[in-house]
Amino acid sequence: MMEVLEELIRLPRKGEYMEIRLENIFSTTIRVQNGVVERIRVGTDEGGYIRLLAPRGSWWFESFQRWDDLKDKVEKAIAGASLLPKSNIEVVRRAPVRDEHKVTLPDDFRFKSLEDKTSLLLLYDQVLRETSPFLVSSLVEYRDEFRQIYLANSDGSLIYLEEPDISVSFVATARKEDNIEIYRNGVAGKAGFELVKNQETLAQEIGQRAVLLLEAPSFSGGVYDVILDPVLAGVFIHEAFGHLSESDTLYRNEELKRIMAKGKRVSSSVLNVFDDGSLDNLRGSSPYDDEGIPTGRTYLIKDGHLDGRLHSRETAFLMHEEVTGNARTINYRFPPIVRMTNTAIEAGEASREDLFSDIERGLYAVEYIGGNTALELFTFSAAYGYLIEKGKIKELVKDVVLSGNLFQTLDKIDAVADDFRWTEVGGCGKGGQIGLPTPTGSPHIRLREVLVGGSHND
Amino acid sequence: MIEVASLLKKEGIPGDLFTHRIFSQEVNYEANSFQGYKKEEREGYGLRAINPEGKLGFYAFNRLLNPQEAVEKALEVSQLGDRVDFSIPTYPSTWEWEDFVDPRVENLDAQEMIELGDYILSRIRKECPQALVDVVISAGREEKSLLNHHEEELKFARTFFGVGVSANQTREGDILEVYAERSWGSRDIDVEGLVQEIVSKLEFSQRVADLNSGKYPVVFTPSGSLVLLIALFYGLNGKNWVFGRSPLEDKEGKVIFSSLFSLEEIQEPWALGSCPFDDEGIMTRAQKYLINKGKVESAFWDLWSAAKKGIKPTGNGFRGSYRDLPEPGFSSLRVKNGLRDSSTLIGELEEGLIVDSVLGLGQSNVASGYFSCNVHLGFYVKGGEIQGRVKDVMISGNTYQALFNLKEISRDSRWIGGRILLPYLLVEPIEVNK
């Protein structure tokens, strides 16, 4: 395949920038619900795209499935792109890269039988259901995926990548009459079958958590001092600052560029935030991004000051900044756009206990259901929480949704603990590209005066 | 692919092959300038087969396999599959429906899409020169077909056309973003209405209004009404009834919502989602009540869930893509409209809120009906007049409670995503925090 691609990338001769991606995805999904193997899906998905930019032109993108007629497709793309309107779009060019990354997995899921995978799920499902009579429904879903990706571009780069991804997720539904609570969690990683084995304890905890939530009261809305656990703090920074650091949101917006100027103080000085796609083996990691640029670490915030932002070839060119290796696509159906990889709040020096000690009445928000952002406004919902009274963790509460505003909330982070950890479960959606793995990391953090939704218990 | 069906027939294996083909084109503009053109062509196959023990297997693929291989893979999977209580449907031999293909959409070329994009951009820029405008125009054709082990075939094609516009206005300490869209099966979408919607949203947003926390009457616009419907879609999902996860499963035939509230599934030819049969070959009904005058009438049933419950499927088995097995879902929906215009409803508001879009949709406990969202675009109303946009405000409540507390529904409705026809809903009270 490399020889074919080598020839194709030489076809544009008028200074065009061209990318070709060919991709093969082998996947297995198994879902067990209430003791029944409800579905097993085995499949292959093969396809590719050609993306082309003529000098002073605009983007031509074509996604296809069959790998034949590639030469014809490239020629049509060259012709098609020449008819598109003019623009000031240009991309950063780089020296060619030739590389091949093959993966060896400790316990390769491709060689596991469907029977092995299914029986493990049936076991987890049983463990989950047996935790309580109030569990009306259990769902255990297994997914593995192995991708082979060829990237070729006009720099003369030819890259072959292999990307494994495996996960198992548990959903427990507990019920007492019309009071229904759902709690979900799981594990995910760039790993082999070993990752999903021996998760009985997790299955049990998930069942118990759903049942506990049945009795928990809804948290009453208002403005509170809040401590976020490492999982929710990761979601928070992803929504609160990560998306605004994606340069395609601001590269054509002069006013927003002024607001997001480098060196500007954007938060209290305890905050340090980075994005790093080169970390070993996290789900957001890869040696190259989908434009063939090597990944690396970019500090978004250093000691409370805006330090950098995330780029594709296009946004880096227009903003006269360095490329950062953040152009990513979910698959061959979509062009790469600026995305986070693994994003994190760096560990601070406080102990976890220090954070709680001076809160008179507040909220400890734990894990997440989701998060959402629209430039300055964002929300993030916790899976559950606890009331904090006089520095102590008190009763369990549910229905905890927090809101924030770019211009105020970051400044209210006044303490960062030293207990950093990564969360790999979950994915991010942007521009119709949903489910991109974007792990987040953080220690416990404390925020003052956060708006929390909910009814007043009066 | 008829060979797969022939092979199933020959081997005496009940099964069906679902085929999904899509051709789509898109042009997009970012911050007032043309960005690019995209096109995509794809097709895929999902093969279900029930083995002699009655167990279901499934195999999805998008490259041409030999029929033998596809059937073997599905049968291999079936050995571990669930013993199912349904059989693969037979299809009617007479065709009483037609395709909904608009040649003006099917034969659209990039130049025409660019002309329309330029026009929309210039219209909005003229009225609101300070805004940065993004436009996405998409058009295409999709085709679904089913082939079963009797070698019977069902086929349906439709075109789709959509325009989405967002306008951004950034100032120090304030970033405003408004959005509007129109989608339809034919070329006949209301471009002028779309432009007007963006312009008036920008105009009403220029001032930021302050309000205190408390309980207020809220008018949900057609797009804002989704806040109240998300939990209901979960509650009406037949699979959730089977698994005991829906608060509606023991409410069939009971009045639990305001008598003003009726939700029905309809087959409006050019509405996206409307179809003569669902993704497993069950005929859809021209009209069906889910909620009638506050009473729970029916739910969404696919073959699998209906068989578990021991009832007939309702033509509500839909697949996310060829790679997915059917799940309970819907074609096109309509919330029955009321008697008076939304402008009258708003004009009569002493003090309240208009909610047009939120952040955090579906990100709280949808099973119990709880919602808690940040108001992304909303307006504060006093003395019947819009005072300005609200910011950093949350609304919360319970869907089931809110639809019981429904005070009025507007006469005017709008299609959301070309698929759900929604009026304005006035609910009182809704908890507002800031």
Side-chain angles (χ1 to χ4, degrees):
Chain A
M1 189 45 71
M2 288 294 195
E3 303 78 59
V4 176
L5 289 170
E6 173 117 50
E7 221 172 277
L8 292 173
I9 55 176
R10 295 213 188 103
L11 288 174
R13 288 168 206 279
K14 293 184 180 157
E16 296 97 333
Y17 171 77
M18 183 177 75
E19 276 169 8
I20 302 174
R21 177 192 186 90
L22 298 177
E23 186 173 21
N24 219 329
I25 311 168
F26 304 91
S27 64
T28 301
T29 309
I30 306 170
R31 193 200 283 170
V32 171
Q33 289 208 64
N34 290 27
V36 172
V37 183
E38 192 212 328
R39 58 188 49 196
I40 301 177
R41 183 179 83 185
V42 179
T44 58
D45 187 0
E46 184 180 279
Y49 65 62
I50 293 168
R51 194 164 79 121
L52 195 135
L53 176 69
R56 289 170 300 283
S58 37
W59 287 107
W60 167 280
F61 176 89
E62 181 180 359
S63 163
F64 50 85
Q65 284 177 318
R66 303 219 175 95
W67 293 7
D68 45 14
D69 301 332
L70 286 175
K71 193 174 174 197
D72 182 50
K73 287 189 171 94
V74 169
E75 279 162 357
K76 282 190 178 138
I78 295 169
S82 70
L83 300 174
L84 294 177
K86 296 290 167 210
S87 81
N88 63 346
I89 302 171
E90 192 33 277
V91 293
V92 171
R93 314 280 181 128
R94 277 281 176 269
V97 174
R98 302 278 162 124
D99 207 348
E100 202 173 273
H101 273 259
K102 291 196 170 162
V103 171
T104 318
L105 296 170
D107 189 1
D108 198 324
F109 52 75
R110 288 176 293 169
F111 310 125
K112 285 278 159 194
S113 68
L114 272 180
E115 199 163 1
D116 283 350
K117 295 172 183 176
T118 308
S119 54
L120 185 69
L121 291 204
L122 284 166
L123 168 70
Y124 291 158
D125 180 76
Q126 190 183 353
V127 171
L128 208 165
R129 264 181 305 135
E130 282 172 358
T131 43
S132 162
F134 292 109
L135 277 177
V136 291
S137 165
S138 60
L139 188 155
V140 186
E141 187 159 288
Y142 167 91
R143 208 185 107 262
D144 67 41
E145 185 180 282
F146 196 89
R147 291 182 192 228
Q148 299 167 324
I149 302 163
Y150 294 92
L151 299 175
N153 63 41
S154 311
D155 288 346
S157 293
L158 289 171
I159 298 167
Y160 171 75
L161 297 170
E162 290 183 347
E163 288 187 357
D165 197 61
I166 185 167
S167 66
V168 63
S169 54
F170 306 87
V171 185
T173 309
R175 178 169 193 172
K176 270 187 184 173
E177 293 164 0
D178 281 351
N179 186 5
I180 306 171
E181 291 297 328
I182 302 172
Y183 177 70
R184 61 184 82 216
N185 213 332
V187 290
K190 277 193 174 207
F193 201 67
E194 68 284 350
L195 182 82
V196 300
K197 282 198 229 166
N198 304 317
Q199 298 291 351
E200 288 87 345
T201 319
L202 179 63
Q204 214 160 21
E205 282 168 11
I206 288 162
Q208 285 160 353
R209 177 65 58 195
V211 174
L212 281 174
L213 287 173
L214 282 178
E215 302 299 333
S218 289
F219 191 66
S220 36
V223 174
Y224 295 87
D225 289 348
V226 174
I227 291 173
L228 306 182
D229 84 322
V231 178
L232 189 60
V235 173
F236 161 74
I237 202 64
H238 175 105
E239 301 297 347
F241 203 74
H243 280 297
L244 266 172
S245 300
E246 294 165 341
S247 296
D248 55 346
T249 60
L250 57 94
Y251 75 129
R252 292 180 188 278
N253 185 334
E254 294 306 322
E255 199 55 48
L256 195 53
K257 277 199 260 185
R258 263 192 286 282
I259 292 169
M260 295 288 286
K262 281 193 187 175
K264 187 171 167 178
R265 190 179 162 283
V266 288
S267 75
S268 64
S269 62
V270 294
L271 195 65
N272 289 285
V273 179
F274 67 83
D275 180 271
D276 192 339
S278 66
L279 291 163
D280 201 24
N281 230 22
L282 284 170
R283 288 180 78 218
S285 301
S286 177
Y288 302 93
D289 76 356
D290 291 313
E291 292 184 327
I293 299 287
T295 52
R297 177 170 296 209
T298 308
Y299 272 91
L300 308 179
I301 299 176
K302 249 186 193 164
D303 303 324
H305 294 267
L306 197 153
D307 196 65
R309 51 182 134 255
L310 310 176
H311 281 297
S312 62
R313 287 173 182 262
E314 180 185 349
T315 62
F317 185 93
L318 209 78
M319 292 181 77
H320 311 292
E321 292 180 4
E322 275 299 307
V323 280
T324 56
N326 284 85
R328 303 177 68 194
T329 173
I330 54 163
N331 60 42
Y332 67 87
R333 291 187 43 211
F334 300 91
I337 53 174
V338 185
R339 303 298 291 257
M340 286 170 256
T341 57
N342 311 295
T343 313
I345 296 177
E346 261 182 355
E349 283 162 5
S351 74
R352 190 191 117 138
E353 289 68 34
D354 292 343
L355 266 56
F356 286 84
S357 62
D358 78 332
I359 293 185
E360 193 52 36
R361 189 181 153 78
L363 168 71
Y364 177 33
V366 185
E367 297 175 6
Y368 76 102
I369 298 175
N372 224 199
T373 185
L375 301 170
E376 71 166 307
L377 303 174
F378 55 88
T379 58
F380 49 112
S381 37
Y384 57 96
Y386 296 93
L387 205 63
I388 306 172
E389 270 175 351
K390 296 193 167 58
K392 296 272 182 295
I393 295 177
K394 298 288 187 185
E395 70 172 329
L396 178 73
V397 291
K398 68 188 175 196
D399 297 334
V400 179
V401 183
L402 303 96
S403 274
N405 182 306
L406 164 74
F407 300 105
Q408 293 142 20
T409 314
L410 289 176
D411 209 27
K412 291 176 179 165
I413 300 173
D414 73 340
V416 177
D418 56 6
D419 55 347
F420 180 92
R421 70 183 157 95
W422 287 103
T423 306
E424 296 224 59
V425 179
C428 172
K430 176 180 171 183
Q433 302 195 41
I434 296 156
L436 185 77
T438 49
T440 55
S442 179
H444 278 82
I445 64 169
R446 183 174 63 204
L447 290 93
R448 301 293 186 182
E449 298 166 0
V450 179
L451 175 61
V452 188
S455 314
H456 294 279
N457 296 338
D458 51 20
Chain B
M1 279 292 148
I2 184 75
E3 299 86 356
V4 175
S6 308
L7 191 65
L8 291 171
K9 186 178 182 181
K10 195 175 126 216
E11 310 261 322
I13 300 159
D16 57 10
L17 181 76
F18 175 74
T19 304
H20 195 198
R21 272 188 200 95
I22 289 187
F23 171 73
S24 71
Q25 309 183 78
E26 183 185 296
V27 295
N28 67 313
Y29 294 72
E30 273 180 26
N32 303 339
S33 54
F34 184 78
Q35 181 71 13
Y37 167 79
K38 286 182 213 166
K39 74 171 180 174
E40 180 186 13
E41 211 166 345
R42 65 178 200 274
E43 66 177 38
Y45 310 92
L47 175 64
R48 292 198 290 191
I50 299 176
N51 75 14
E53 292 169 66
K55 292 174 167 182
L56 179 71
F58 181 69
Y59 185 72
F61 51 102
N62 77 354
R63 56 178 168 186
L64 295 166
L65 293 178
N66 73 51
Q68 190 76 38
E69 196 183 339
V71 172
E72 272 168 20
K73 296 241 188 200
L75 285 177
E76 186 190 323
V77 169
S78 74
Q79 287 165 27
L80 297 157
D82 172 30
R83 197 181 300 277
V84 291
D85 313 317
F86 65 84
S87 46
I88 300 292
T90 54
Y91 311 143
S93 50
T94 48
W95 293 66
E96 290 166 13
W97 60 83
E98 49 182 321
D99 289 345
F100 286 98
V101 172
D102 181 351
R104 294 170 300 165
V105 172
E106 200 179 19
N107 305 324
L108 206 62
D109 65 26
Q111 289 313 321
E112 286 173 82
M113 294 169 84
I114 293 167
E115 274 164 32
L116 178 63
D118 288 348
Y119 172 75
I120 291 171
L121 199 64
S122 70
R123 284 290 316 276
I124 296 172
R125 297 266 293 147
K126 197 174 150 212
E127 308 253 0
C128 313
Q130 73 286 15
L132 291 174
V133 183
D134 292 356
V135 182
V136 178
I137 300 171
S138 53
R141 176 197 164 98
E142 98 176 308
E143 196 180 298
K144 286 175 174 180
S145 75
L146 278 157
L147 261 170
N148 66 13
H149 59 287
H150 305 296
E151 293 181 322
E152 294 164 340
E153 189 175 26
L154 288 176
K155 235 183 198 166
F156 176 65
R158 74 153 56 260
T159 44
F160 55 91
F161 184 59
V163 183
V165 179
S166 70
N168 176 299
Q169 197 185 308
T170 309
R171 296 179 280 221
E172 183 63 44
D174 182 40
I175 309 174
L176 166 67
E177 196 181 44
V178 302
Y179 177 76
E181 58 83 30
R182 297 289 186 276
S183 310
W184 205 233
S186 76
R187 183 72 176 73
D188 303 316
I189 64 168
D190 177 15
V191 172
E192 294 309 315
L194 175 72
V195 168
Q196 260 329 303
E197 190 182 329
I198 288 285
V199 171
S200 66
K201 279 178 176 174
L202 280 172
E203 272 169 13
F204 285 128
S205 299
Q206 290 311 312
R207 224 171 56 200
V208 174
D210 206 14
L211 87 168
N212 297 317
S213 293
K215 291 181 165 61
Y216 290 93
V218 171
V219 172
F220 292 92
T221 68
S223 55
S225 298
L226 287 177
V227 175
L228 302 177
L229 293 181
I230 291 284
L232 202 54
F233 295 158
Y234 174 94
L236 289 170
N237 181 311
K239 185 172 276 180
N240 290 335
W241 288 35
V242 169
F243 285 124
R245 295 188 295 230
S246 166
L248 292 181
E249 74 194 51
D250 51 359
K251 311 280 193 301
E252 209 172 345
K254 290 184 185 160
V255 176
I256 61 162
F257 301 111
S258 155
S259 61
L260 298 172
F261 187 66
S262 295
L263 176 70
E264 52 193 334
E265 189 175 22
I266 51 170
Q267 304 306 324
E268 163 77 40
W270 293 108
L272 302 176
S274 289
C275 47
F277 53 89
D278 72 359
D279 292 347
E280 34 191 1
I282 302 293
M283 299 304 119
T284 54
R285 285 181 231 164
Q287 193 261 0
K288 178 182 76 181
Y289 276 110
L290 296 149
I291 315 285
N292 189 6
K293 295 184 180 138
K295 184 163 82 178
V296 181
E297 294 271 3
S298 179
F300 305 130
W301 296 100
D302 62 349
L303 276 175
W304 192 93
S305 310
K308 292 278 173 206
K309 172 96 172 159
I311 59 169
K312 277 190 179 167
T314 52
N316 287 99
F318 291 99
R319 315 190 195 214
S321 78
Y322 71 88
R323 301 173 65 227
D324 298 307
L325 277 155
E327 291 273 358
F330 57 82
S331 51
S332 307
L333 296 177
R334 167 168 73 196
V335 168
K336 209 161 183 192
N337 55 348
L339 297 170
R340 303 195 300 159
D341 283 342
S342 56
S343 55
T344 312
L345 267 57
I346 293 164
E348 286 178 7
L349 267 190
E350 214 29 68
E351 189 184 17
L353 206 58
I354 300 171
V355 172
D356 185 68
S357 70
V358 298
L359 291 179
L361 195 64
Q363 293 180 345
S364 28
N365 186 359
V366 289
S368 67
Y370 181 78
F371 64 88
S372 179
C373 305
N374 187 329
V375 177
H376 176 214
L377 187 68
F379 304 98
Y380 176 58
V381 179
K382 198 161 187 191
E385 299 275 342
I386 292 177
Q387 305 296 310
R389 164 172 57 115
V390 297
K391 258 178 85 164
D392 305 314
V393 164
M394 293 187 79
I395 54 166
S396 60
N398 184 292
T399 291
Y400 295 99
Q401 200 73 51
L403 291 175
F404 181 78
N405 291 334
L406 202 60
K407 287 286 171 302
E408 191 164 348
I409 297 182
S410 74
R411 188 191 56 79
D412 42 329
S413 295
R414 199 170 71 235
W415 285 95
I416 300 302
R419 213 177 148 196
I420 311 177
L421 183 61
L422 293 173
Y424 293 69
L425 306 178
L426 169 63
V427 179
E428 186 176 7
I430 292 280
E431 186 81 34
V432 177
N433 287 309
K434 80 149 292 173

